[in-house]
Amino acid sequence: MGSTVVVVAIVWLSVLIAAAVVRLIRARSLGSRILAVDLITLLLIAILGLIAAREGTAGYLDAALVLALLAFVATTAVARSYGGRGPFS
Amino acid sequence: MKEVVADVAVLVGLVVCTLAVIGVWRFPDVYTQLHAAGKAAFLGVSMILLAAALTAGGALWPRAALIVVLLTLTSPVAAHVVGQAALRRGEDVYSGDDG
């Protein structure tokens, strides 16, 4: 894919992240907030993938991998805490 | 050929990610929002990672595949845990405009 496509895609994903942040701030419940943070992290992973394609280096995908792992752990921990249970119960 | 496939993949990924964000904006309760975000965002990100690996190739393939496999395993679990927590907290369940 051409460099123009990559730049346009990164800009569009940034717009999506901004929309998700607005949604995060205006969410009606804490569940919606956890969900919005998860969505923002997924979009960030997509942006990191596009930057890796643009630069041709795999290091950005390492960061994306770590972000995916951390997002899962964080979402699970926060959601279980919110549901009134501990992480191991 | 490879370029065209990558372009189409990134376009599909962007459309699906947009649909996910629209779903989170428009749907009335947490559970329907989970329906939009849990599936669509994951599919969109997978398509975009596929496009990235097709473009740059080489060392990007195993890492992109690893991320996609990881998201396949963790995304449903995270969505389930969020939905379960919301239900245990008694968050509103949308039952239509009439209900």
Side-chain angles (χ1 to χ4, degrees), chain A residues 1 12 23 28-29 62 82, chain B residues 7 18 28 63 89 91:
Chain A
M1 86 193 129
W12 183 244
R23 187 68 240 184
R28 281 189 291 272
S29 66
D62 291 340
Y82 175 55
Chain B
D7 279 350
T18 311
R63 290 175 169 87
R89 279 289 174 134
E91 286 191 12

Side-chain angles (χ1 to χ4, degrees), chain B:
Chain B
M1 184 62 201
K2 222 177 189 180
E3 297 248 318
V4 176
V5 174
D7 279 350
V8 170
V10 83
L11 195 64
V12 170
L14 284 182
V15 168
V16 173
C17 280
T18 311
L19 287 177
V21 174
I22 291 175
V24 171
W25 263 89
R26 299 279 303 161
F27 280 149
D29 66 358
V30 189
Y31 315 104
T32 45
Q33 286 173 8
L34 275 170
H35 167 70
K39 289 185 274 286
F42 157 66
L43 279 177
V45 171
S46 299
M47 294 305 281
I48 289 175
L49 286 175
L50 173 71
L54 275 174
T55 304
L60 261 69
W61 271 114
R63 290 175 169 87
L66 198 58
I67 295 176
V68 170
V69 167
L70 192 78
L71 286 179
T72 312
L73 293 175
T74 59
S75 171
V77 179
H80 173 80
V81 172
V82 173
Q84 195 184 34
L87 197 63
R88 284 171 73 98
R89 279 289 174 134
E91 286 191 12
D92 294 341
V93 180
Y94 181 72
S95 56
D97 292 325
D98 302 330

Side-chain angles (χ1 to χ4, degrees), chain A residues 3 6 9 27 31 49-50 54 62 65 69 76 83 89:
Chain A
S3 65
V6 178
L50 286 172
R54 183 180 148 87
D62 291 340
L65 186 58
L69 275 168
T76 312
S89 60

